């Protein structure tokens, strides 16, 4: 167990280092940051000045090491536009994004697991087929489109000026300018209903299918036959003996999905003008605010690495074969 | 050699009495007649062996007794009487009260039959707690007691282990202990030793026999190993393509095999030994016919030395060789024996 | 191996009727065709894909108007089912007076082209890495697993947005970025399949016969992976189309005035309460194409390996 843990930690650390290099390098290799920042009408001197001011004229590995060295001391640099510390910018917004992600995961799992179990128990009946149709449709729905449909459906059918905390007039304005109006600080739980529903719809199908496949496999296993031969109740056979085993791969997928949600909430955050990390990211990308962008990329990647590490630990906890080997 | 102590049990009420059992399974190609017209009974402390090649319906028959058939299977029977009650139409709820409590079943592969994520103790105790309303502590004591019974030296420690930490033989002992937690009247053992090493096989069989005596259980033993039958069983039913082709006491069937299939099987094995026999069971040339759709005539005819045109047209019922020894063939025992010698003479 | 075991592993000598059965049995390919013909999802999915492809290829001939042609006097015209709709603009016109149907048709071109080429690039990268890792194992495999982990840790949408934004967002860059960001699925699937094949007899016997690694990979292993790769490719293409639409919706993928479905939805947001069809129609096009690709992919999987549905 200890060996397993240490090996996983070392790999995670290596991956984190590589990801930080990739995240850092991507921005610099994609284009000339200085001339982008200087604007189209800038002279060569302007570009050179900006380049020097932001340290972009130094060799790239110096820039990287400098950035990492500062980052390790908790200093991720400052935004080029607001001049606020990047770490502060992220920390004040991570709450919104994390709330979105965890709520969406919880809702997604709360739908996916019962539906997947039901589909497996009623395999090849209309229940199963309905679940399959839901999952295929969910997978094919672009989430920005789904979000707009939600707004439209609630807005037009309810005929109310305020839909889940959003004023319809506001939403229409949001449509005009993509950069949006951040409702920072004023977001209530209602503001999260539609975004969470959107994200949950995106992640639910994969979780549901994996639960179903896992349950089908487990239900036809020898040990479930044993459990039935022991005369255990249907509940015990289904939940104690089957789901516990079928859930193992779902835990891993859930961690991956959570990582995806943290990075992928950019779309709903933009549509619903929630001032989270995704929202910060897209505004910074638009303004080439590279200290913010690279920090967010690496921050999200490291969060993902930690999450998968966690899911491995949970799997080890749930599965004695992993834990004791 | 067959067991000598079977005389007493013959007189008492049978534990399980199956009559006219049919199991039809829906498959994409149609209806598969997995088991047709199977009847037998087993008394207390008596062992019946179901013998046949894989796919002959012996496992389906045993699952039918436990009512553990897959949902695509349809069961019909004149009756399945367990301990005097007809359980043919028992609901799932009624059955869960019997399973693990008054009837138990152990399976072929002990490596996959135990739930990998729970401790052995938990898996044993839950049976007792469910059927006897026992406390965790009582269940634990009972589990320790049974582990000793199945020959495990340090029960307290074993109970805290997970299945993957145990060898195959130990796991099969755990399965047996688990199914004996509530002292069932009937134990169904589906090829309990096939997946184990030869030396372990013998130990497990001996264990089953001694436990049978102690708890006076009826055992239905499914096997394709005739050596095991000779050691363990009082009665034997030879199955082929979903039907019993010959059944009777082990003594009678082994001394005077009548159906051509039984004779083929018995000729294949050397008279000694547990080990050599089962390899040869499938070595009668030819293939088992498909059981999908309507099956007419004798299923064995395309592998039978005696087959004639009439065999394809007429269904055959079981008929007696003598009392309590039946076979399923159009020809009389004498004809079968005579023709056999004729072939041998050529 | 003992004498009896050897005897047992030999196939039983065929006698009489057996031969009839073997000649009657249909070939695996024949069986696959039969299953494909009775697989409703596969047929429906493939039909929709073929339809979209035809529309995309022949868009210049099929489109009733020029997709870039602005007609400021005929802005926000109702679709044909609307109150003032006409057959000349079946899906109406957008806020610039451009014909929605024509833009939709050219949008299909873009979506399919980006989806196909990016999925192909991802496939080449992923399959290569997967085969190399699975076949050679050991340290090579460890490096490839490590690469897969690095790739998985990158937040795809944000990375794509950043690169597209900084590099100016040409379609070529978009394709390259999406290809480079979605190869992991191929690598994971191909790697585990290659591991299984590596130890099988047909590979071992080629090795014993002195075949080179390249020959074994291309002649023995790759052909056995084709079906699975197609299944993964269909999934990947569906995901790429969705990501491209999202990027364009956010204004950092395909740039206006190029007709892209995601962009069409974004442009219609301002008027979504008055002209909901302007978001419904392009959104539905994305939904339909993606669902068709998924259905066809599921179909291919069911048809090629009927036991593994899930």
């Amino acid at each position: 167990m200890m060996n397993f843990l240490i090996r996983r930690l070392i790999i995670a650390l290596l991956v984190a280092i590589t990801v930080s290099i990739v995240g850092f390098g991507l921005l610099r290799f994609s284009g000339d940051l200085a001339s982008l920042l200087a604007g189209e009408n800038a002279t060569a001197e302007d570009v050179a000045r900006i380049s020097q001011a932001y340290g972009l004229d130094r060799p790239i590995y110096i820039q990287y090491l400098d950035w990492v060295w500062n980052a390790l001391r908790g200093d991720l640099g400052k935004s080029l536009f607001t001049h606020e510390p990047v770490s502060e910018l992220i920390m004040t917004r991570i709450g919104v994004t994390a709330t979105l992600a965890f709520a969406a995961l919880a809702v997604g799992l709360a739908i996916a697991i019962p539906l997947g179990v039901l589909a497996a128990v009623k395999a090849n009946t209309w229940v199963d087929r309905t679940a399959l149709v839901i999952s295929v449709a969910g997978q094919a729905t672009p989430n920005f489109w789904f979000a707009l449909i939600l707004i439209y459906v609630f807005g037009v059918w309810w005929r109310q000026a305020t839909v889940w905390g959003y004023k319809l007039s506001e939403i229409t304005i949001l449509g005009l300018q993509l950069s949006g109006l951040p409702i920072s600080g004023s977001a209530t739980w209602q503001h999260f209903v539609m975004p969470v529903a959107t994200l949950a719809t995106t992640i639910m199908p994969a979780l549901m299918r994996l639960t179903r496949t896992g349950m089908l496999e487990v239900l036809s296993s020898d040990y479930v036959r044993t459990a039935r031969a022991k005369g255990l109740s249907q509940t015990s056979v289904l939940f104690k003996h089957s789901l516990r085993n079928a859930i193992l791969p779902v835990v891993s997928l859930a961690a991956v999905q959570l990582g995806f949600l943290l990075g992928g909430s950019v779309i709903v955050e933009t549509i619903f003008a929630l001032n989270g990390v995704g929202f910060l990211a897209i505004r910074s990308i638009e303004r080439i605010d590279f200290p913010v962008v690279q920090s967010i990329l690496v921050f999200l990647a490291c969060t993902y690495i930690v999450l998968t590490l966690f899911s491995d630990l949970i799997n080890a906890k749930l599965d004695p074969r992993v834990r004791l080997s | 050699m067959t067991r000598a102590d079977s005389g007493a049990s013959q007189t008492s009420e049978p534990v399980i009495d199956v009559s006219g059992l049919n199991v039809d399974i829906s498959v994409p190609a149609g209806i598969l007649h997995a088991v047709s017209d199977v009847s037998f009974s087993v008394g207390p402390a008596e062992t019946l062996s179901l013998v046949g090649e894989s796919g002959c319906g012996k496992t389906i028959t045993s699952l039918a007794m436990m009512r553990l058939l897959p949902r695509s299977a349809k069961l019909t029977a004149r009756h399945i009487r367990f301990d005097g009650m007809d359980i043919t139409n028992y609901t799932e709820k009624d059955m869960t009260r019997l399973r693990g409590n008054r009837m138990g079943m152990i399976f072929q592969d002990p490596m996959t039959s135990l739930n990998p994520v729970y401790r052995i103790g938990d898996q044993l105790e839950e049976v007792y707690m469910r059927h006897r309303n026992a406390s965790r502590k009582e269940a634990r004591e009972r589990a320790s007691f049974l582990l000793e019974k199945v020959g495990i030296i340090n029960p307290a420690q074993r109970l805290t282990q997970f299945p993957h930490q145990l060898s195959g033989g130990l796991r099969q002992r755990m399965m047996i202990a688990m199914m004996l937690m509530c002292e069932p009247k009937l134990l169904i053992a589906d090829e309990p030793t096939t997946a184990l090493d030869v030396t372990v096989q013998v130990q497990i069989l001996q264990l089953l026999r001694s436990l049978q005596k102690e708890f006076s259980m009826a055992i239905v033993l499914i096997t394709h190993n005739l050596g095991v039958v000779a050691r363990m069983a009082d009665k034997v039913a030879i199955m082929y393509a979903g039907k019993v082709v010959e059944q009777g006491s082990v003594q009678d069937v082994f001394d005077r095999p009548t159906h051509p299939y039984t004779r083929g099987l018995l000729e294949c094995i050397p008279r000694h030994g547990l080990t050599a026999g089962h390899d040869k069971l499938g070595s009668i040339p030819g293939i088992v016919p498909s059981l999908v759709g309507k099956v007419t005539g004798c299923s064995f005819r395309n592998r039978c030395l005696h087959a004639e045109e009439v065999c394809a047209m007429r269904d055959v019922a079981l008929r007696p060789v003598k009392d309590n020894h039946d076979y399923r063939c159009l020809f009389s025992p004498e004809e079968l024996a005579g023709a056999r010698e004729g072939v041998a003479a050529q | 191996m003992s004498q009896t075991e050897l005897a047992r592993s030999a196939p039983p000598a065929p006698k009489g009727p057996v031969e009839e059965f073997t000649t009657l049995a249909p070939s695996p390919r024949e069986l696959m065709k039969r299953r494909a013909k009775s697989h409703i999802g596969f047929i429906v999915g493939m039909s929709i894909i073929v339809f979209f492809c035809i529309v995309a290829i022949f868009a210049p001939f099929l489109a009733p108007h020029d997709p870039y042609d602005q007609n400021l006097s005929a802005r926000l015209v109702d679709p044909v089912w609307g109150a003032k709709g006409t057959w000349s603009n079946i899906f109406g016109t957008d806020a610039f007076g451009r014909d929605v149907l024509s833009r939709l048709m050219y949008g299909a071109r873009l979506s399919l082209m980006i989806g196909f080429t990016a999925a192909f690039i991802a496939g080449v990268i992923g399959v290569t890495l997967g085969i190399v890792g699975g076949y050679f194992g050991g340290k090579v495999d460890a490096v490839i697993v490590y690469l897969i982990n690095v790739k998985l840790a990158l937040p795809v949408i944000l990375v794509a947005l950043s690169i597209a934004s900084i590099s100016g967002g040409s379609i070529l860059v978009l394709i390259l970025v999406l290809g480079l960001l979605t190869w992991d699925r191929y690598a994971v699937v191909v790697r585990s399949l290659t591991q299984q094949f590596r130890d099988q007899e047909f590979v071992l016997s080629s090795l014993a016969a002195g075949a080179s690694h390249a020959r074994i990979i291309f002649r023995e292993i790759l052909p056995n992976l084709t079906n699975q790769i197609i299944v993964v490719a269909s999934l990947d293409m569906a995901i790429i189309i969705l990501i491209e639409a999202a990027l364009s919706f956010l204004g950092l993928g395909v740039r206006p005035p190029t007709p892209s479905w995601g962009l069409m939805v974004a442009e219609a947001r301002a008027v979504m309460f008055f002209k909901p069809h302007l978001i419904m129609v392009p959104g539905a096009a994305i939904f339909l194409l993606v669902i068709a690709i998924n259905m066809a992919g599921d179909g291919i999987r069911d048809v090629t390996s009927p036991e593994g549905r899930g």
Side-chain angles (χ1 to χ4, degrees):
Chain A
M1 181 62 187
M2 218 42 214
N3 277 341
F4 165 78
L5 202 69
I6 291 168
R7 221 182 38 232
R8 280 297 282 110
L9 270 174
I10 292 173
I11 293 175
L13 206 64
L14 279 173
V15 171
I17 292 170
T18 318
V19 162
S20 74
I21 296 172
V22 171
F24 189 87
L26 271 179
L27 302 189
R28 279 156 184 80
F29 287 115
S30 302
D32 184 0
L33 293 175
S35 56
L36 280 169
L37 282 165
E40 278 174 27
N41 302 323
T43 60
E45 291 90 69
D46 290 341
V47 173
R49 203 162 37 79
I50 286 177
S51 189
Q52 200 185 2
Y54 297 140
L56 290 168
D57 53 345
R58 296 172 298 166
I60 193 157
Y61 67 92
I62 300 279
Q63 294 182 42
Y64 173 72
L65 290 176
D66 188 40
W67 178 66
V68 168
W69 175 243
N70 286 324
L72 287 177
R73 294 182 306 169
D75 176 13
L76 291 169
K78 284 196 170 68
S79 161
L80 302 184
F81 291 87
T82 63
H83 305 293
E84 289 167 86
V86 174
S87 50
E88 212 166 278
L89 282 172
I90 294 178
M91 280 309 142
T92 49
R93 286 165 178 79
I94 188 67
V96 170
T97 304
T99 310
L100 269 178
F102 279 99
L105 184 69
V107 173
L109 284 172
I111 299 169
I113 292 178
L115 202 59
V117 170
L118 199 66
V121 172
K122 307 257 177 205
N124 297 320
T125 63
W126 66 269
V127 180
D128 185 23
R129 271 177 218 120
T130 311
L132 189 73
V133 168
I134 293 174
S135 88
V136 170
Q139 248 166 354
T141 310
N143 53 3
F144 60 88
W145 188 52
F146 189 76
L148 294 183
I149 291 178
L150 281 183
I151 294 172
Y152 182 80
V153 165
F154 284 122
V156 171
W157 290 355
W158 279 16
R159 292 183 176 285
Q160 279 170 342
T162 310
V163 181
W164 293 117
Y166 295 94
K167 289 202 183 75
L168 287 188
S169 53
E170 234 171 48
I171 286 179
T172 326
I173 295 167
L174 293 181
L176 286 172
Q177 48 185 84
L178 267 173
S179 300
L181 304 167
I183 315 175
S184 55
S186 64
T188 64
W189 68 269
Q190 287 179 320
H191 287 102
F192 284 93
V193 172
M194 287 193 288
V196 166
T198 307
L199 288 175
T201 311
T202 313
I203 58 159
M204 194 278 283
L207 294 168
M208 200 281 287
R209 284 183 153 209
L210 196 63
T211 309
R212 178 186 176 276
T213 321
M215 275 303 275
L216 272 184
E217 197 179 302
V218 171
L219 283 177
S220 63
S221 73
D222 287 352
Y223 55 83
V224 166
R225 190 176 53 180
T226 304
R228 296 185 63 207
K230 284 153 85 174
L232 301 179
S233 66
Q234 184 75 1
T235 328
S236 172
V237 170
L238 266 188
F239 293 99
K240 182 177 175 190
H241 284 276
S242 308
L243 188 58
R244 171 72 186 274
N245 287 282
I247 211 82
L248 295 172
V250 179
V251 172
S252 306
L253 179 65
V256 174
Q257 298 274 40
L258 195 58
F260 162 80
L261 286 172
L262 288 172
S265 64
V266 47
I267 292 161
V268 294
E269 283 180 23
T270 311
I271 292 177
F272 293 101
L274 287 170
N275 199 0
V277 174
F279 195 85
L280 173 69
I282 193 155
R283 291 184 79 188
S284 307
I285 289 171
E286 280 169 339
R287 300 194 295 205
I288 324 281
D289 195 345
F290 68 87
V292 182
V293 177
Q294 71 199 19
S295 299
I296 292 177
L297 288 184
V298 175
F299 170 76
L300 288 175
C302 291
T303 312
Y304 172 88
I305 293 167
V306 173
L307 285 172
T308 47
L309 200 61
F310 255 114
S311 83
D312 280 0
L313 290 181
I314 294 175
N315 258 322
K317 182 98 189 104
L318 288 176
D319 190 345
R321 284 165 300 181
V322 176
R323 187 183 346 147
L324 300 170
S325 62
Chain B
M1 49 166 172
T2 55
R3 292 174 57 189
D5 57 348
S6 57
S9 58
Q10 229 96 61
T11 49
S12 52
E13 182 83 358
V15 175
I16 181 97
D17 178 12
V18 175
S19 172
L21 173 72
N22 292 295
V23 179
D24 295 337
I25 301 178
S26 315
V27 291
I31 302 289
L32 175 92
H33 302 283
V35 172
S36 314
D37 191 25
V38 168
S39 306
F40 56 78
S41 70
V42 195
E46 196 179 30
T47 301
L48 165 79
S49 217
L50 294 176
V51 182
E53 293 165 59
S54 49
C56 73
K58 51 195 198 302
T59 296
I60 296 286
T61 305
S62 62
L63 290 175
M65 281 185 274
M66 296 286 284
R67 298 277 310 283
L68 282 175
L69 292 166
R71 207 181 311 141
S72 56
K74 198 171 142 278
L75 176 152
T76 51
R78 267 194 298 284
H79 63 249
I80 302 173
R81 220 167 266 147
F82 174 72
D83 206 13
M85 305 159 299
D86 190 349
I87 61 167
T88 319
N89 296 315
Y90 263 33
T91 61
E92 180 65 21
K93 210 170 177 188
D94 295 331
M95 283 310 298
T96 58
R97 276 192 214 111
L98 293 181
R99 290 183 205 134
N101 185 12
R102 300 178 57 198
M103 46 168 64
M105 183 161 184
I106 54 180
F107 301 102
Q108 178 169 354
D109 191 353
M111 305 310 271
T112 56
S113 293
L114 292 162
N115 196 324
V117 302
Y118 294 109
R119 292 173 199 283
I120 298 287
D122 188 34
Q123 299 189 50
L124 262 73
E125 288 149 22
E126 70 177 342
V127 191
Y128 201 63
M129 286 160 69
R130 169 158 176 88
H131 295 297
R132 295 291 152 88
N133 280 326
S135 68
R136 172 70 68 182
K137 191 161 165 285
E138 290 165 334
R140 174 137 297 197
E141 277 162 19
R142 174 81 184 161
S144 298
F145 170 75
L146 269 160
L147 286 200
E148 271 173 43
K149 280 269 173 255
V150 298
I152 282 163
I153 310 154
N154 43 354
Q157 187 212 330
R158 291 295 185 200
L159 285 174
T160 64
Q161 289 186 309
F162 287 96
H164 72 274
Q165 296 169 304
L166 308 177
S167 69
L170 270 179
R171 290 195 212 183
Q172 199 60 298
R173 284 171 196 265
M174 297 294 177
M175 273 300 288
I176 294 170
M178 188 157 79
M179 288 305 171
L180 294 187
M181 285 294 278
C182 298
E183 286 190 33
K185 295 204 156 186
L186 169 68
L187 182 70
I188 300 169
D190 185 355
E191 312 221 11
T193 57
T194 312
L196 303 175
D197 289 343
V198 177
T199 47
V200 183
Q201 287 185 9
V202 178
Q203 291 167 10
I204 296 285
L205 291 174
Q206 280 168 350
L207 175 69
L208 277 176
R209 272 179 67 170
S210 72
L211 290 169
Q212 175 177 38
K213 242 183 232 163
E214 186 167 347
F215 296 109
S216 171
M217 280 184 301
I219 292 184
V220 174
L221 178 71
I222 292 156
T223 181
H224 53 217
N225 187 325
L226 289 168
V228 172
V229 178
R231 288 200 171 203
M232 294 286 294
D234 306 295
K235 297 196 216 170
V236 61
I238 313 280
M239 290 188 71
Y240 184 81
K243 286 178 181 152
V244 172
V245 293
E246 184 157 359
Q247 66 185 15
S249 73
V250 171
Q251 187 104 45
D252 288 344
V253 173
F254 276 41
D255 281 356
R256 197 185 169 194
T258 307
H259 192 278
Y261 180 62
T262 318
R263 299 173 67 133
L265 292 182
L266 284 167
E267 273 168 24
C268 287
I269 56 160
R271 276 282 160 173
H272 63 277
L274 266 168
T275 52
H278 70 275
D279 292 344
K280 293 285 190 168
L281 220 151
S283 61
I284 301 169
I287 51 162
V288 186
S290 160
L291 297 177
V292 177
K294 188 161 163 47
V295 182
T296 347
C298 173
S299 320
F300 189 61
R301 63 177 187 272
N302 57 359
R303 291 169 79 179
C304 181
L305 291 168
H306 306 278
E308 286 176 19
E309 270 168 46
V310 61
C311 296
M313 293 180 287
R314 258 200 280 165
D315 285 336
V316 205
L318 275 174
R319 46 193 268 200
V321 181
K322 57 172 210 176
D323 278 355
N324 295 320
H325 179 188
D326 301 314
Y327 75 115
R328 192 186 291 270
C329 182
L330 283 172
F331 301 107
S332 70
E334 292 72 27
E335 283 171 315
L336 289 169
R340 185 75 186 165
E341 272 140 32
V343 171
Q346 286 169 15
Chain C
M1 219 188 231
S2 75
Q3 204 64 32
T4 49
E5 277 172 313
L6 276 174
R8 187 159 44 110
S9 58
K15 273 212 166 184
V18 182
E19 280 153 28
E20 291 170 33
F21 285 108
T22 46
T23 48
L24 280 175
S27 70
R29 185 171 290 271
E30 185 61 30
L31 274 176
M32 237 159 73
K33 269 190 201 157
R34 271 189 223 171
R35 281 199 296 267
K37 277 181 192 157
S38 62
H39 196 291
I40 296 168
F42 177 74
I43 293 173
V44 172
M46 276 317 266
S47 313
I48 298 175
I49 293 172
V50 168
F51 173 75
F52 272 86
C53 285
I54 291 173
V55 167
I57 293 167
F58 298 106
F61 307 103
L62 295 172
H65 300 273
D66 184 328
Y68 296 97
D69 211 5
Q70 300 187 7
N71 182 354
L72 295 182
S73 62
R75 296 184 325 189
L76 298 173
V77 170
D78 275 343
V80 70
W81 62 86
K84 285 175 270 176
T86 62
W87 280 101
S88 114
N89 301 101
I90 292 177
F91 289 137
T93 60
D94 66 9
F96 297 98
R98 296 173 298 197
D99 179 49
V100 173
L101 177 63
S102 305
R103 289 183 72 72
L104 210 57
M105 287 174 159
Y106 279 85
R109 253 185 167 188
L110 201 70
S111 278
L112 282 167
M113 200 257 289
I114 292 177
F116 192 82
T117 45
F120 183 79
I121 293 170
V124 171
I125 301 171
V127 171
T128 310
L129 291 178
I131 286 193
V132 168
Y135 184 79
F136 293 105
K139 286 196 178 116
V140 179
D141 189 38
V143 170
I144 281 164
V145 171
Y146 169 74
L147 283 179
I148 294 174
N149 277 327
V150 170
K151 159 61 206 48
L152 285 173
L154 291 174
V156 174
I157 292 185
L158 285 182
V159 171
L161 281 173
S162 314
I163 299 178
S165 171
I166 294 171
S167 65
S170 72
I171 289 174
L172 186 69
V173 170
L174 207 58
I175 289 171
L176 280 174
V177 168
L178 291 174
L180 283 167
L181 284 175
T182 58
W183 52 264
D184 46 297
R185 213 179 270 265
Y186 296 91
V188 170
V189 171
V190 167
R191 177 177 163 270
S192 77
L193 285 171
T194 308
Q195 280 174 341
Q196 290 167 27
F197 284 129
R198 187 183 55 193
D199 298 326
Q200 276 179 18
E201 283 174 23
F202 63 91
V203 171
L204 292 177
S205 62
S206 301
L207 256 183
S212 67
H213 290 313
R215 191 186 161 82
I216 291 172
I217 286 175
F218 285 105
R219 282 292 179 80
E220 310 288 349
I221 292 179
L222 204 52
N224 281 298
L225 298 174
T226 320
N227 290 333
Q228 305 275 351
I229 293 174
I230 293 173
V231 173
V232 177
S234 69
L235 277 175
D236 189 42
M237 189 169 159
I239 288 169
I240 288 171
I241 290 174
L242 283 174
I243 298 179
E244 181 272 313
L247 297 184
S248 302
F249 173 80
L250 289 173
L252 292 170
V254 176
R255 301 295 162 89
T258 314
S260 150
W261 292 342
L263 200 55
M264 288 170 77
V265 176
E267 286 167 347
R269 262 175 84 185
V271 292
M272 62 177 277
F273 286 106
F274 320 105
K275 303 284 175 192
H277 78 275
L278 285 181
I279 60 167
M280 289 311 291
V281 169
I286 303 168
F287 176 75
L288 207 60
L289 179 57
V290 170
I291 216 171
I293 294 172
N294 280 337
M295 278 161 85
D298 283 357
I300 295 168
R301 190 197 47 216
D302 291 348
V303 167
T304 51
S305 61
E307 57 290 335
R309 184 187 156 221

